[in-house]
Amino acid sequence: MSAAVSGARERWVHTGGIELCVAEWGDPSRPTIVLVHGYPDSKEVWSRIVERLRDTYHVVLYDVRGCGRSTAPKPLRGGFTLEKLTDDFLAVADAVSPDEPVHLVGHDWGSVQGWEFVTVPRTEGRIASFTSMSGPSLDHFGHWIKQRAARPTPRRAAQLLSQGAMSWYVYLLHTPVLPELAWKGPLGKRWPKILERLEKVPAGDYPTPSLPSDASHGAWLYRDNIRSRLSHPRDDCHAHAPVQLITPTGDVFLSERLYDELDQWVPRLTRRTLPGKHWIPRTRPDQLATWIDEFVAGRSGRSMPRPAPSGAHADRFSDQLVLVTGAGSGIGRATALSFAEAGARVIAVDLDAASAARTAELAELVGAPSAWAECVDVANGQAMEQLAEKVTEEHGTVDVLVNNAGIGIAGSFLDTSAEDWRKTLDVNLWGVIHGCRAFGRRMAERGQGGHIVNTASAAAFQPSRVMSAYSTSKAAVLMLSECLRAELAGSGIGVSAICPGLVNTNITRTARFTGVDAQEEKRIQHRMARRYDLRDYPPEKVARAVLRAVVRNQAVVPVTPEARGARFVSRLSPRALRAVARVRPPM
């Protein structure tokens, strides 16, 4: 086991003529979590999760038969059936927690095994909960295939074809000899580098000594189980323990659609999704450890289970850390509250301390497990860096950053002073730059992905003769977002530019109108606010677009009808927009 999780207590468990290598951490009197690895991994794949759970729980790992330091059955054929793997699990559970049921966590084939364990009668009472990631029940999968084959529709046929293509490796693993030769040859040597390139798993993070033999032995997991179970799935395959399903949205081997009918098999199901590819135990350990801890704690008497968030995309944002600037009102407050309804932890940032505090209070009322308020001027780079340090130290790395703070300004270019330009760019552009630098860098250093949302505007692609400063600042935010999206994609960090049109917020009441005296400025502010009131496009609709943009990893999102129209015309006929820009709007 890696040095980062040294101090393991090792034991050997004998079962079915083989010896399983078992590693334990923590106090055995505490709830026991058993983590089962997948293919072609060994128990080492869980090391980052162990680091985060061992002080709270009795954590147990074991090398599945034929992997790591556990011995392989002889002969290999027929030695890896789910029935024999269930014997192994029960032997380990009886050895490490003879008197209490264990909390089971599985990834990949460890999850496939876990579904078997949690649905067969002989394990009933031995499993307190099951957390599944990147591995379906073969019985549920078999029924999923049969339902689509029996009643085909274009959508169902597309699902079957898609999953069939994603399962290309399964067919190869059924071929004789070839997988063994590949793993003991160049594939075994290059596998860590392949994972680094495709999944961002550091090559030095992936142990290799036993990989060729582990992968060769593990091919029998597929040969001994796939055909028989998919063609003849069990009908009585209902889970007898609570299940937490964690689905990575970028898994290239398993479609999210595989779990569409899972509720019929699992009476007590908690669903979660997160951005990531297949090997999330290595790439998203913080989020996984948090969810495992919460799920186990609620079912082991350590705490009362928290009611599941019911807002849109709750499975995606529950317990994630979201920071929103300009959160004191308007789009910022609506966005913070939408994330709160989805179960996210929220940090509301605003120049107005009282408004930020009120948003944080409302966030907790609508569903955030916790929320905090921070008073910061986003135009101050040093203050934003200090905020990033404080947030990281006290709450962890931000998962979603929403750079929303902005100010409005209108008037002709010749009437807009250098000071007006400076203030507009300081908040609207430099505020976004400071946020992206301070928090984006920490996201990249963490190496577990994330998302940045920058609030631009329809003015970013719609020129206006009276909004040169504002439009320039928002166009710069749009291009900054596009550039960052390209740069940070390799770190698994998405970047979205949200481009609203006319939204009913306070921005018109506080906007600066140049070239007029104070009395005339107030009159224009009142008139413009009245028009926005009549337009009555609520900020909550923009907030919903923000959440969708993060879930779908969208690049540019025009929100209102006029914003979508302007975006379309800007691409189809920019000359038409230039003609419209020459018309002086009423004020």
Side-chain angles (χ1 to χ4, degrees):
M1 186 62 64
S2 65
V5 283
S6 59
R9 304 185 299 275
E10 284 195 349
R11 70 166 82 190
W12 295 89
V13 173
H14 303 270
T15 172
I18 64 169
E19 292 185 331
L20 300 175
C21 180
V22 180
E24 300 175 64
W25 291 262
D27 185 351
S29 66
R30 294 178 177 176
T32 298
I33 300 178
V34 177
L35 300 106
V36 187
H37 67 82
Y39 176 86
D41 307 319
S42 67
K43 64 179 182 295
E44 303 279 346
V45 77
W46 294 113
S47 61
R48 290 190 173 186
I49 305 293
V50 173
E51 293 173 21
R52 291 155 173 81
L53 296 177
R54 61 178 179 174
D55 292 336
T56 307
Y57 297 99
H58 176 213
V59 181
V60 177
L61 313 181
Y62 70 95
D63 285 321
V64 173
R65 54 171 56 203
C67 294
R69 297 172 61 196
S70 295
T71 59
K74 295 181 181 179
L76 294 174
R77 181 187 297 273
F80 290 84
T81 63
L82 287 171
E83 291 78 11
K84 292 181 179 178
L85 293 167
T86 304
D87 294 338
D88 295 351
F89 163 72
L90 285 172
V92 171
D94 289 343
V96 300
S97 182
D99 301 320
E100 296 291 336
V102 302
H103 298 270
L104 177 63
V105 179
H107 172 254
D108 187 81
W109 260 95
S111 178
V112 175
Q113 294 179 59
W115 280 111
E116 178 77 3
F117 306 159
V118 82
T119 57
V120 294
R122 62 191 175 117
T123 61
E124 194 161 357
R126 296 298 289 124
I127 299 174
S129 72
F130 171 44
T131 295
S132 163
M133 56 189 86
S134 299
S137 160
L138 294 186
D139 295 303
H140 300 163
F141 192 0
H143 286 294
W144 184 87
I145 293 172
K146 286 191 170 186
Q147 289 170 0
R148 280 150 183 77
R151 293 189 298 170
T153 64
R155 180 177 63 86
R156 288 185 164 196
Q159 291 175 359
L160 279 173
L161 290 173
S162 174
Q163 183 56 56
M166 296 170 82
S167 298
W168 59 269
Y169 62 97
V170 176
Y171 318 131
L172 292 179
L173 287 166
H174 276 83
T175 60
V177 182
L178 182 62
E180 286 84 348
L181 291 176
W183 281 113
K184 291 178 180 178
L187 182 58
K189 296 177 182 178
R190 296 175 184 171
W191 183 245
K193 286 292 185 182
I194 293 173
L195 280 189
E196 183 176 40
R197 187 171 67 253
L198 298 181
E199 299 256 355
K200 310 305 175 188
V201 176
D205 230 14
Y206 197 93
T208 57
S210 62
L211 177 61
S213 61
D214 291 355
S216 298
H217 294 156
W220 288 99
L221 290 167
Y222 295 85
R223 297 164 181 169
D224 281 350
N225 297 290
I226 293 288
R227 290 180 188 173
S228 58
R229 281 301 179 89
L230 294 189
S231 59
H232 298 92
R234 292 181 298 129
D235 291 325
D236 185 14
C237 51
H238 296 82
H240 48 66
V243 176
Q244 174 176 224
L245 175 71
I246 300 177
T247 308
T249 57
D251 196 323
V252 297
F253 302 114
L254 296 166
S255 167
E256 293 182 65
R257 301 279 70 82
L258 281 178
Y259 308 104
D260 282 352
E261 288 91 30
L262 192 57
D263 301 75
Q264 67 178 297
W265 304 110
V266 185
R268 293 168 289 174
L269 177 63
T270 299
R271 292 177 182 262
R272 301 189 188 275
T273 62
L274 81 167
K277 296 186 179 180
H278 188 74
W279 267 270
I280 51 177
R282 303 306 293 178
T283 59
R284 297 304 306 270
D286 288 337
Q287 185 64 78
L288 293 183
T290 297
W291 282 341
I292 292 169
D293 178 28
E294 178 184 315
F295 195 65
V296 170
R299 286 146 190 88
S300 60
R302 286 185 57 246
S303 68
M304 289 294 291
R306 181 160 55 89
S310 57
H313 309 298
D315 61 339
R316 169 67 170 77
F317 297 113
S318 179
D319 289 310
Q320 291 211 335
L321 184 62
V322 178
L323 185 142
V324 183
T325 68
S329 63
I331 293 172
R333 174 173 284 179
T335 300
L337 297 184
S338 290
F339 276 111
E341 288 174 350
R345 297 173 294 141
V346 173
I347 301 174
V349 178
D350 202 275
L351 190 58
D352 185 331
S355 296
R358 179 56 178 159
T359 298
E361 291 174 5
L362 292 172
E364 290 192 337
L365 287 175
V366 300
S370 50
W372 306 271
E374 296 288 347
C375 178
V376 176
D377 180 2
V378 298
N380 186 327
Q382 185 176 359
M384 286 294 284
E385 182 63 32
Q386 291 172 349
L387 173 65
E389 278 188 30
K390 177 183 179 183
V391 167
T392 304
E393 182 178 342
E394 296 181 0
H395 312 298
T397 303
V398 167
D399 295 295
V400 180
L401 167 69
V402 183
N403 288 307
N404 171 76
I407 59 175
I409 185 169
S412 72
F413 172 79
L414 297 179
D415 287 333
T416 304
S417 68
E419 178 62 21
D420 288 330
W421 272 94
R422 184 197 62 76
K423 186 174 182 180
T424 302
L425 294 178
D426 277 353
V427 176
N428 290 4
L429 176 58
W430 276 104
V432 174
I433 293 173
H434 294 323
C436 291
R437 284 175 59 86
F439 292 97
R441 176 167 57 82
R442 287 168 170 81
M443 284 184 190
E445 289 174 349
R446 178 180 64 170
Q448 297 183 39
H451 205 98
I452 297 173
V453 178
N454 297 324
T455 303
S457 168
F461 36 79
Q462 180 177 336
S464 169
R465 60 180 287 172
V466 295
M467 296 181 67
S468 56
Y470 183 79
S471 296
T472 298
S473 69
K474 293 301 184 179
V477 168
L478 177 59
M479 182 52 69
L480 170 65
S481 302
E482 293 276 31
C483 293
L484 278 180
R485 183 177 177 85
E487 180 177 344
L488 298 178
S491 300
I493 299 172
V495 181
S496 301
I498 302 296
C499 302
L502 304 178
V503 180
N504 190 8
T505 68
N506 285 331
I507 193 169
T508 54
R509 295 177 176 85
T510 59
R512 173 94 169 88
F513 291 87
T514 64
V516 296
D517 59 26
Q519 184 176 356
E520 178 65 8
E521 183 177 46
K522 287 187 177 296
R523 185 189 67 78
I524 296 174
Q525 286 174 340
H526 178 74
R527 181 179 296 177
M528 295 302 294
R530 176 65 177 161
R531 288 175 186 165
Y532 275 61
D533 287 342
L534 292 173
R535 172 72 175 83
D536 198 26
Y537 194 96
E540 288 75 18
K541 286 189 176 182
V542 183
R544 290 197 288 272
V546 170
L547 270 67
R548 284 197 304 271
V550 178
V551 169
R552 300 173 183 175
N553 192 18
Q554 295 171 293
V556 180
V557 185
V559 182
T560 59
E562 62 273 13
R564 290 191 289 271
R567 174 73 168 169
F568 176 77
V569 176
S570 72
R571 303 166 109 184
L572 181 69
S573 179
R575 182 178 294 182
L577 278 187
R578 295 186 191 115
V580 173
R582 297 190 184 101
V583 179
R584 183 177 182 85
M587 286 191 180

